[in-house]
Amino acid sequence: GWSMDTFIPKEIARIREICGDKGQVIGAVSGGVDSTVAAKLMHEAIGDRFHAIMVDNGVLRLDEAKKVKKMLTEDLGVNLTVVDASDLFLGRLAGVEDPEQKRKIIGNTFIEVFEEKAAEIEKECAADSSKGPIEWLLQGTLYPDVIESISFKGPSAVIKSHHNVGGLLEDMKLKLIEPLRELFKDEVRALGRLLDIPAHLVGRHPFPGPGLAIRILGEVTREQVAILQHADEIYIAEIRAAGLYDQISQAFAALLPVRAVGVMGDARTYDQVIALRAVSTEDFMTADWFEFPASVLKKISSRITNEVRGINRVVYDITSKPPGTVEWL
Ligand code: XMP
């Protein structure tokens, strides 16, 4: 019968057969559940012939690149290269306020950086006679993504452009390898647990490809990124501390481009506003805002206004989807 226990050896055998004795595989990892599970499975199947690439686009969560590097290389043994391209991304985002423009810049720059690193890895492989050429691109596509791409496109897909790396297939003449394409999200999580991926990662909320750039309303600068990273870190830590993380489908902070008056000690402040978002949903097509106990919101608000310089006000978003979307942009 169908079980995750039999899935792993079968899929590993299938990957080995597909890749042959020398074939090299590249794939992007993000620190999310899907790409981590896919990467670990590839590592189990072909070891260092799988080359994972993580692009630090400058709009990730606090210390995310460092944490992903530690987890993938030290804990999971995956052959990973982290590319710090934050200057390039933030340079191109300078002065840009339009959300779709932000998505396009980040999507296109991602492909460019990924391709450049892939070409470097290709050269290294060519110089080593024990290694074959890069023939495959790993993608952590799930069954719902497969369905969505061949039939109905949900409102999100129409309203907001989600980026993909489809162009790589043509540019580098790579073939696609998709070990998760028959699985649903809960099956990927079960698979992750069997592959010894840390529990906090297996249960992690989704994070959008364009990252904090679509959670900073207005221009994205290093300063704005740092403020939002700090506030979001506090928010998520307090949600975990309250034992609520697993009841929420997605939670994050957004940074608003307005200033409000406040008071600190004897002084007047004129600082920015953080909006907190938390939703429960089955499929992200519709969502309800999450009903926090007031004491949890109180603690979060107090910590953010006390600890994050540049923020003097915190608001909680009580908008469902529809008419709101999950993200603010
Ligand atoms: P919305 O805001 O459309 O979000 O209600 C639904 C889900 O999609 C995620 N999202 C994105 N993910 N690239 C992504 O990879 C994007 O451009 C993007 N926009 C939204 C959002 O975080 C939520 O989980």
Side-chain angles (χ1 to χ4, degrees):
W2 169 258
S3 87
M4 277 301 134
D5 277 318
T6 57
F7 177 88
I8 294 175
K10 267 193 206 156
E11 190 55 29
I12 287 177
R14 191 184 76 96
I15 294 167
R16 286 183 181 150
E17 187 158 336
I18 290 176
C19 298
D21 292 334
K22 283 186 160 190
Q24 311 283 319
V25 181
I26 56 166
V29 291
S30 64
V33 189
D34 305 344
S35 66
T36 305
V37 170
K40 174 68 171 163
L41 202 54
M42 289 307 296
H43 175 74
E44 297 281 304
I46 61 168
D48 284 356
R49 289 197 282 132
F50 170 61
H51 308 259
I53 299 171
M54 177 175 192
V55 177
D56 183 348
N57 59 14
V59 284
L60 302 175
R61 283 167 289 194
L62 189 67
D63 294 330
E64 180 74 2
K66 252 188 266 170
K67 288 181 189 164
V68 172
K69 181 159 176 80
K70 188 197 166 294
M71 178 196 56
L72 277 174
T73 53
E74 288 173 33
D75 303 344
L76 301 177
V78 172
N79 175 14
L80 168 73
T81 309
V82 177
V83 186
D84 180 1
S86 49
D87 285 336
L88 180 66
F89 279 87
L90 291 172
R92 290 183 182 176
L93 286 167
V96 177
E97 296 190 1
D98 177 68
E100 284 303 282
Q101 201 57 35
K102 288 177 179 175
R103 281 191 172 80
K104 273 195 200 109
I105 289 168
I106 291 171
N108 293 338
T109 307
F110 176 87
I111 290 168
E112 208 180 297
V113 172
F114 184 83
E115 273 188 315
E116 197 175 301
K117 182 46 77 180
E120 261 176 52
I121 293 171
E122 174 115 279
K123 259 193 208 144
E124 285 166 26
C125 291
D128 182 342
S129 60
S130 68
K131 292 179 179 168
I134 300 175
E135 290 176 297
W136 300 91
L137 173 69
L138 172 71
Q139 281 207 313
T141 320
L142 308 192
Y143 188 65
D145 310 327
V146 176
I147 295 302
E148 191 183 329
S149 67
I150 56 177
S151 60
F152 172 73
K153 287 245 183 251
S156 285
V158 179
I159 295 168
K160 305 175 185 184
S161 58
H162 290 222
H163 72 255
N164 66 69
V165 289
L168 276 174
L169 303 175
E170 288 144 41
D171 294 359
M172 292 189 64
K173 301 189 172 57
L174 297 182
K175 291 167 282 186
L176 208 54
I177 186 162
E178 297 177 304
L180 312 180
R181 63 174 289 124
E182 284 168 18
L183 306 182
F184 286 96
K185 194 79 181 188
D186 55 329
E187 294 175 313
V188 175
R189 295 194 204 278
L191 186 57
R193 283 186 282 269
L194 287 173
L195 289 167
D196 293 328
I197 292 171
H200 68 88
L201 191 128
V202 166
R204 211 170 188 198
H205 296 168
F207 185 74
L212 302 184
I214 58 167
R215 295 174 178 176
I216 292 169
L217 286 85
E219 191 185 1
V220 178
T221 63
R222 270 200 189 277
E223 292 68 34
Q224 295 283 280
V225 170
I227 289 172
L228 181 55
Q229 281 177 332
H230 190 181
D232 191 72
E233 182 79 3
I234 292 170
Y235 181 38
I236 300 301
E238 289 299 330
I239 288 174
R240 286 199 190 274
L244 297 171
Y245 190 85
D246 293 339
Q247 295 174 39
I248 297 170
S249 307
Q250 195 172 8
F252 58 88
L255 181 58
L256 306 188
V258 291
R259 280 169 188 269
V261 172
V263 56
M264 193 185 217
D266 312 323
R268 176 188 183 275
T269 59
Y270 187 51
D271 284 333
Q272 275 179 278
V273 182
I274 281 286
L276 305 175
R277 183 82 161 132
V279 296
S280 19
T281 173
E282 289 299 321
D283 58 4
F284 293 94
M285 303 289 284
T286 63
D288 287 323
W289 56 275
F290 183 76
E291 293 189 40
F292 276 109
S295 58
V296 176
L297 287 176
K298 204 176 240 182
K299 176 95 184 283
I300 293 163
S301 163
S302 147
R303 279 200 61 195
I304 291 176
T305 49
N306 279 307
E307 296 174 34
V308 184
R309 190 163 302 179
I311 299 298
N312 67 359
R313 203 168 282 245
V314 174
V315 298
Y316 186 55
D317 181 353
I318 51 168
T319 317
S320 297
K321 173 182 180 175
T325 52
V326 175
E327 301 291 343
W328 275 54
L329 296 179

